[in-house]
């Protein structure tokens, strides 16, 4: 589904990712862990298409399409969703309208008619329940004045509304209380299916108790230095990253 | 050098015109008005057109405006069409009482002097000189004494026509009054109007004032509107400017507030070659409030300058300024918000905010909030920002599947909406909302889709994204 080959990514001429390889197949859940500042978010940005992050070498293909050819909005419409580590506040743009616009633009890209209002509203209700947010939040401007945890829940809410085929969740678990963590995990597990793939970036093995990954990778200095099964996360929790650094 | 010679020549032309035709220009005057006119003429000859050595004119250059030749009518030209053909407004569910200035001259289907069933008197300035001579004399005397710049003097020398509205004590207008100033001429035109709006004690008025051009011909409008709010009077005042890229409008609005009066004034600049709004608010009584808002959307080589001066002269006054602008291409915007809290204006609250988005690196903004405070028990704040569209927000929106163009539009509209939402007349707000969206999409033109006054029925626009609930 997602094939990353020998990827090199720079920001402002600073090389952050160098020679990264990763393959994610439909139905799989991958966890990416690693020390601060090693390029986890950079990888996520590169997949989502943030133009500030330049791909200087290698390739990312998604369902056979070279992502370099696609704008961020086209990638989204192809089914890629990024849950931001730091969700952005957009004053003046209401949550409801934002989501509806996003859904309809994606539908347009896929040659579909705009979502009928009753269907949209029903979906809103269902997903608000799923992530435990109420209309007070969805009536506000996107992320404006949301607490840290509310912002993260809102990312999961958007994911649930947009129904992506590949979700990349960048530290969606950080700053969440234990109940919220379960909510996030529920959202992710609901999306989980044989056709969809999920990449979770996290520092905590705790999340992986709720979202059990098929693979765990360690990203260090812009490369994947170790991959393993879910037990690797436990090992990292115990030993830290020191032992991998050479 | 050549420009300066031209500038001189417009001044000289005006001098010549005044001296040759002063009898015609002043044919309706009372002796006091005639005297004020004469004084103003001399003052204009001394001061000339404002230039950048005046503090308030540092960032607005009239050279281009003054380099053109203009005709100025000193008697109303004959209309070659029915008035009813010119006056039509198609805002759905917006019931207004329409009066108009057509190339600077009063036209109305109802005659030039009307007393409405609710008691409000509306008519031309020329008629007002007959019926309410003292009020008009006072206005000419006030402006005649003002020494702020030569343009006000020039207006006082030449102004013959305009809109006069009198709202008696305790009367609430049961209909919004709409003034449309249309310029529709095949030669360059100079227009100088004087509008005078007098509001009695505890009266209420909603007033919408639009400046429109109906073709691409250059024009130069130098207009003054005085609005006097009696004790406890409440006005909702909207100004909408949509003129062609070759034209200039210098619009001076002077509000005088007596005790407990409430002013809300709201200007939207959609298009114009050079637009300058001078807004003066004098709080002459205690416990006045004023909300002064503006939205300006400029592009190409346009220039917009909003100058606001609020004078808190008495205690317990509150003023609130909110101006926002989006500046594209090579366009320039200027904002100067001056709050002057006089010594005995204790317990004043004065707030001011000016926010700008520059869409290109060639676009410029000069913004200068200016608080001058001589009382000690006051609350004042001001702030100005100049920035680009938020790139992070743009990426966030796009990452959800919304196209670049629509993401930009969403951000620009969200920025503008704060000001649009201050419009309290619902049908007007919806219409303005539509116009702003059109403008942001680059779909607004000045004549075939004219603004509030419409000769042709306009098709409703649809957007491929629904921005109705932003
Ligand atoms: N806009 C930028 N300008 C300069 N350097 C940047 C920029 N963005 C990221 N970097 C640098 O790139 C490196 C990788 O950053 P990235 O955000 O990908 O790390 P991370 O692995 O996600 O870290 P964390 O676990 O703290 O979220 C860091 O050294 C960071 O400082
Ligand atoms: Mg990160």
């Amino acid at each position: 589904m997602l094939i990353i080959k020998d990827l090199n990514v720079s920001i402002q001429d600073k090389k952050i990712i160098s020679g990264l390889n990763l393959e994610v197949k439909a139905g799989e859940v991958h966890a990416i862990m690693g020390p601060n500042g090693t390029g986890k978010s950079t990888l996520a940005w590169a997949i989502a298409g943030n133009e500030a992050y330049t791909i200087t070498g290698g390739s990312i293909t998604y369902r056979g399409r070279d992502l370099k050819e696609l704008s961020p909005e086209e990638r989204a419409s192809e089914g890629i969703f990024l849950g931001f580590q730091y969700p952005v506040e957009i004053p003046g743009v209401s949550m409801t309208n934002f989501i509806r616009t996003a859904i309809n633009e994606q539908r347009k890209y896929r040659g579909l008619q705009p979502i009928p209002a009753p269907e949209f509203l029903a979906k809103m209700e269902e997903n608000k329940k799923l992530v435990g947010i109420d209309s007070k939040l969805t009536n506000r401007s996107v992320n404006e004045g949301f607490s840290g945890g509310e912002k993260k829940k809102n990312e999961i809410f958007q994911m649930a509304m947009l129904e992506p085929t590949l979700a990349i969740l960048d530290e969606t678990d950080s700053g969440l209380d234990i109940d919220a963590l379960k909510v996030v995990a529920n959202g992710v597990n609901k999306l989980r299916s044989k056709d969809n793939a999920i990449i979770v970036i996290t520092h905590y093995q705790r999340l992986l108790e709720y979202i059990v990954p098929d693979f765990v990778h360690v990203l260090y200095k812009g490369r994947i230095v170790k991959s393993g099964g879910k037990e690797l996360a436990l090992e990292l929790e115990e030993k830290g990253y020191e032992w991998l650094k050479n | 050098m050549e420009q300066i010679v031209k500038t001189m020549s417009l001044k000289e032309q005006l001098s010549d015109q005044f001296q040759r035709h002063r009898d015609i220009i002043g044919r309706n005057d009372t002796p006091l008005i005639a005297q004020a006119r004469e004084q103003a003429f001399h003052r204009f000859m001394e001061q000339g057109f404002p230039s950048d050595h005046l503090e308030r004119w540092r960032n607005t250059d009239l050279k281009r405006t003054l380099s053109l030749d203009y005709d100025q009518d000193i008697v109303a030209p004959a209309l070659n069409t029915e008035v009813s053909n010119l006056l039509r407004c198609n805002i759905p569910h917006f019931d207004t009482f329409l009066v108009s200035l057509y190339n600077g001259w009063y036209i109305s289907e109802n005659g030039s002097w009307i007393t409405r069933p609710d008691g409000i008197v509306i008519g031309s300035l020329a008629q007002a000189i007959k019926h309410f001579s003292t009020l008009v004399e006072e206005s000419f005397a006030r402006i005649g004494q003002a020494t702020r710049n030569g343009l006000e003097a020039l207006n006082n020398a030449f102004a013959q026509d305009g809109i006069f509205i009198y709202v008696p004590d305790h009367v609430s207008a049961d209909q919004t009054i709409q003034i449309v100033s249309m310029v529709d001429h095949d030669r360059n035109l100079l227009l100088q109007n004087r509008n005078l709006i007098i509001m009695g004690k505890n009266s209420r008025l909603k007033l919408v004032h639009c400046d429109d051009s109906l073709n691409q011909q250059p024009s130069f409008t130098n207009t003054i509107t005085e609005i006097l709010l009696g004790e406890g009077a409440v006005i909702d005042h909207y100004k909408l400017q949509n003129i062609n890229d070759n034209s200039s409008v210098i619009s001076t609005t002077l509000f005088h507030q007596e005790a407990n009066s409430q002013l809300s004034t709201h200007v939207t600049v959609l298009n114009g070659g050079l637009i300058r709004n001078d807004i003066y608010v004098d709080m002459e009584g205690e416990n006045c409030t004023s909300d002064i808002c503006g939205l300006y959307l400029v592009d190409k080589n346009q220039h917009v300058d909003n100058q606001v001066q609020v004078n808190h002269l008495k205690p317990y006054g509150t003023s609130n300024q909110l101006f926002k602008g989006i500046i594209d291409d090579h366009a320039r915007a200027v904002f100067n918000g001056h709050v002057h809290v006089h010594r005995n204006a204790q317990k004043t609250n004065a707030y001011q905010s000016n926010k700008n988005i520059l869409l290109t690196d060639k676009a410029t903004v000069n913004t200068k909030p200016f608080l001058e405070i001589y009382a000690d028990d006051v609350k004042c704040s001001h702030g100005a920002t100049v920035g680009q569209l938020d790139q992070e927000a743009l990426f966030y929106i796009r990452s959800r599947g919304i196209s670049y163009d629509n993401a930009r539009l969403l951000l620009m509209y969200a920025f503008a909406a704060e000001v649009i939402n201050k419009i309290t007349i619902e049908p007007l707000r919806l219409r303005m909302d539509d116009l702003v969206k059109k403008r942001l999409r680059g779909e607004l033109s000045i004549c075939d889709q004219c603004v509030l006054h419409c000769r042709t029925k306009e098709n409703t626009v649809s957007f491929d994204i629904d921005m109705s609930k932003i």
Side-chain angles (χ1 to χ4, degrees):
Chain A
M1 200 173 197
L2 179 75
I3 300 168
I4 302 177
K5 275 200 187 132
D6 195 25
L7 184 69
N8 289 273
V9 181
S10 296
I11 176 147
Q12 292 163 358
D13 296 332
K14 188 174 151 200
K15 200 166 196 182
I16 310 287
I17 303 259
S18 50
L20 186 141
N21 292 291
L22 179 68
E23 180 170 358
V24 178
K25 296 202 178 82
E28 294 177 350
V29 174
H30 290 240
I32 296 178
M33 305 183 79
N36 293 125
T38 51
K40 300 182 297 299
S41 294
T42 304
L43 175 63
W45 292 119
I47 299 170
N50 190 331
E51 281 139 9
Y53 296 76
T54 327
I55 297 181
T56 54
S59 66
I60 310 176
T61 51
Y62 182 66
R63 291 167 142 183
R65 297 199 64 169
D66 182 356
L67 288 188
K68 247 193 281 184
E69 314 280 302
L70 301 180
S71 66
E73 54 270 32
E74 287 167 333
R75 297 180 199 203
S77 296
E78 289 287 335
I80 297 175
F81 177 88
L82 171 61
F84 282 52
Q85 183 173 359
Y86 304 107
V88 184
E89 299 195 8
I90 312 175
V93 178
S94 86
M95 265 306 298
T96 309
N97 197 55
F98 177 62
I99 292 284
R100 188 179 38 212
T101 306
I103 290 177
N104 285 339
E105 290 233 350
Q106 292 202 13
R107 287 172 71 108
K108 196 167 103 190
Y109 180 90
R110 297 175 195 140
L112 300 171
Q113 290 298 308
I115 186 167
E119 191 184 322
F120 174 74
L121 292 174
K123 216 168 151 178
M124 286 283 286
E125 285 315 308
E126 183 193 340
N127 288 318
K128 278 195 286 196
K129 262 195 221 112
L130 175 75
V131 301
I133 58 177
D134 60 20
S135 304
K136 272 194 216 112
L137 279 190
T138 51
N139 289 339
R140 291 202 345 225
S141 292
V142 179
N143 291 325
E144 193 183 30
F146 286 27
S147 76
E150 285 168 344
K151 283 182 184 166
K152 295 299 176 77
K153 282 194 202 173
N154 190 20
E155 294 296 286
I156 297 300
F157 174 71
Q158 291 175 47
M159 179 188 81
M161 290 298 293
L162 294 169
E163 299 173 334
T165 45
L166 171 67
I168 304 159
L169 302 175
D170 190 356
E171 296 199 23
T172 306
D173 55 331
S174 308
L176 289 185
D177 62 41
I178 191 75
D179 292 336
L181 194 69
K182 285 182 193 159
V183 162
V184 166
N186 276 344
V188 175
N189 288 327
K190 192 181 165 229
L191 188 74
R192 213 166 169 171
S193 80
K194 65 174 183 15
D195 301 318
N196 296 337
I198 295 157
I199 299 173
V200 287
I201 296 171
T202 182
H203 287 292
Y204 306 105
Q205 110 72 32
R206 191 178 63 171
L207 176 71
L208 304 179
E209 285 171 12
Y210 299 100
I211 306 171
V212 182
D214 301 299
F215 300 94
V216 175
H217 309 277
V218 179
L219 192 68
Y220 181 64
K221 289 196 174 160
R223 300 178 53 202
I224 289 178
V225 294
K226 191 162 180 66
S227 298
K230 60 175 190 278
E231 61 293 339
L232 178 57
L234 283 168
E235 201 174 346
L236 291 168
E237 182 102 330
E238 209 174 295
K239 299 198 210 162
Y241 294 108
E242 268 317 304
W243 61 288
L244 290 168
K245 283 188 180 170
N246 34 51
Chain B
M1 221 34 223
E2 204 186 309
Q3 294 281 324
I4 294 166
V5 173
K6 277 271 195 181
T7 306
M8 288 302 293
S9 89
L10 181 57
K11 186 180 166 190
E12 273 165 17
Q13 279 170 34
L14 287 164
S15 163
D16 181 60
Q17 192 179 29
F18 187 84
Q19 293 183 48
R20 277 192 295 127
H21 301 298
R22 54 180 16 121
D23 293 343
I24 304 173
I25 294 166
R27 68 195 174 283
N28 297 315
D29 288 358
T30 64
L32 284 172
I33 296 173
Q35 194 189 334
R37 224 182 255 294
E38 203 65 33
Q39 279 168 357
F41 171 69
H42 290 292
R43 179 159 287 147
F44 169 69
M45 291 311 291
E46 278 160 39
Q47 295 189 325
F49 289 104
S51 65
D52 58 8
H53 60 257
L54 289 178
E55 178 63 29
R56 291 172 69 90
W57 286 86
R58 276 241 304 274
N59 297 306
T60 291
D61 186 351
L62 290 178
K63 244 184 239 134
R64 201 166 48 145
T65 305
L66 301 179
S67 70
L68 301 175
D69 287 319
Y70 300 95
D71 289 352
Q72 178 173 233
D73 293 324
I74 50 167
V75 288
L79 274 186
N80 51 16
T81 177
E82 289 292 311
V83 170
S84 58
N85 288 338
L86 296 170
L87 295 177
R88 227 167 261 164
C89 183
N90 75 339
I91 304 180
H93 318 294
F94 192 28
D95 171 32
T96 65
F97 186 87
L98 199 57
V99 282
S100 183
L101 294 170
Y102 184 71
N103 292 328
W105 300 93
Y106 181 97
I107 58 168
S108 167
E109 285 179 292
N110 307 303
S112 58
W113 194 254
I114 311 137
T115 304
R116 289 165 42 94
D118 56 13
I120 295 177
V121 178
I122 300 177
S124 70
L125 187 78
Q127 287 291 320
I129 295 176
K130 290 184 202 149
H131 300 278
F132 283 90
S133 53
T134 319
L135 291 174
V136 182
E137 282 168 351
E138 283 167 2
S139 174
F140 271 83
R142 270 191 304 270
I143 309 292
Q145 278 153 20
T147 53
R148 289 174 288 243
N149 65 65
L151 280 164
E152 288 180 41
L154 182 66
N155 178 285
N156 222 40
F158 278 97
Q160 290 184 55
D161 211 352
I163 307 287
F164 175 87
I165 302 173
Y166 178 81
V167 190
D169 291 354
H170 309 291
V171 165
S172 294
D174 52 18
Q175 208 179 8
T176 299
I177 293 173
Q178 187 182 0
I179 301 173
V180 182
S181 308
M182 285 175 272
V183 184
D184 178 16
H185 204 257
D186 52 13
R187 280 167 302 145
N188 300 358
L189 205 57
L190 169 63
L191 310 157
Q192 306 201 68
N193 287 117
R194 172 70 60 80
N195 304 309
L196 184 58
I197 289 125
I198 314 280
M199 296 182 64
K201 260 188 205 164
N202 299 320
S203 65
R204 281 168 178 267
L205 181 64
K206 289 178 197 258
L207 185 65
V208 179
H209 189 167
C210 314
D211 287 328
D212 284 349
S213 339
L214 303 188
N215 60 28
Q216 296 294 341
Q217 195 69 31
S219 64
F220 176 15
T221 301
N222 174 34
T223 175
I224 298 179
T225 301
E226 267 203 303
I227 302 185
L228 277 57
L229 285 81
E231 261 182 57
V234 180
I235 190 170
D236 254 345
H237 174 250
Y238 299 95
K239 180 106 192 162
L240 175 57
Q241 295 167 318
N242 189 35
I243 58 161
N244 68 40
D245 293 342
N246 306 311
S247 290
S248 306
V249 169
I250 317 270
S251 164
T252 302
T253 311
L254 302 127
F255 295 97
H256 302 270
Q257 292 190 260
E258 286 182 30
N260 306 315
S261 62
Q262 295 172 33
L263 160 67
S264 160
T265 178
H266 190 289
V267 59
T268 308
V269 179
L270 290 172
N271 204 81
L274 182 149
I275 290 188
R276 157 91 175 203
N277 291 308
D278 271 290
I279 300 167
Y280 296 93
V281 178
D282 286 345
M283 295 188 174
E284 290 154 8
E286 291 190 2
N287 198 32
C288 293
T289 61
S290 58
D291 279 302
I292 306 147
C293 300
L295 174 67
Y296 41 98
L297 310 171
V298 281
D299 61 6
K300 291 168 281 188
N301 209 17
Q302 300 174 355
H303 182 100
V304 61
D305 180 354
N306 287 296
Q307 302 273 327
V308 182
Q309 176 159 0
V310 182
N311 287 313
H312 284 268
L313 297 155
K314 289 281 158 66
Y316 304 107
T318 297
S319 68
N320 231 313
Q321 296 177 39
L322 173 67
F323 278 76
K324 285 183 138 185
I326 301 177
I327 302 108
D328 201 353
D329 302 330
H330 288 75
R332 285 154 315 205
V334 181
F335 176 76
N336 191 343
H338 182 180
V339 175
H340 187 151
V341 183
H342 292 254
R343 190 183 308 279
N344 63 346
Q346 298 296 358
K347 307 279 181 197
T348 287
N349 292 313
Y351 308 103
Q352 188 187 83
S353 160
N354 175 229
K355 294 181 183 157
N356 298 280
I357 291 180
L358 298 178
L359 295 178
T360 70
D361 53 7
K362 298 282 189 316
T364 58
V365 174
N366 279 290
T367 173
K368 197 177 132 196
F370 179 31
L371 300 180
E372 208 180 335
I373 302 167
Y374 299 102
D376 45 27
D377 187 8
V378 299
K379 274 192 206 132
C380 293
S381 74
H382 65 86
T385 59
V386 178
Q388 278 87 42
L389 279 183
D390 182 345
Q391 292 302 310
E392 269 189 55
L394 205 55
F395 178 70
Y396 187 80
I397 298 172
R398 294 176 73 192
S399 80
R400 300 311 186 226
I402 298 173
S403 70
Y404 175 74
D405 286 347
N406 283 335
R408 262 173 64 106
L409 195 62
L410 213 56
L411 286 176
M412 289 193 283
Y413 179 72
F415 176 80
E418 186 187 359
V419 185
I420 303 167
N421 289 338
K422 300 254 179 195
I423 300 175
T424 55
I425 303 173
E426 186 65 6
L428 181 66
R429 190 182 62 73
L430 293 174
R431 181 47 174 262
M432 291 298 291
D433 201 68
D434 221 39
L435 289 171
V436 167
K437 287 172 192 162
K438 262 201 219 172
R439 178 67 172 93
L440 292 173
R441 293 185 79 94
E443 287 168 1
L444 186 72
S445 77
I446 56 107
C447 35
D448 47 22
Q449 292 173 326
C450 56
V451 175
L452 294 179
H453 155 88
C454 290
R455 281 198 279 199
T456 50
K457 185 137 179 65
E458 198 174 332
N459 297 323
T460 49
V461 271
S462 61
F463 295 91
D464 47 298
I465 61 172
D466 174 7
M467 301 203 293
S468 60
K469 293 209 180 60
I470 285 178

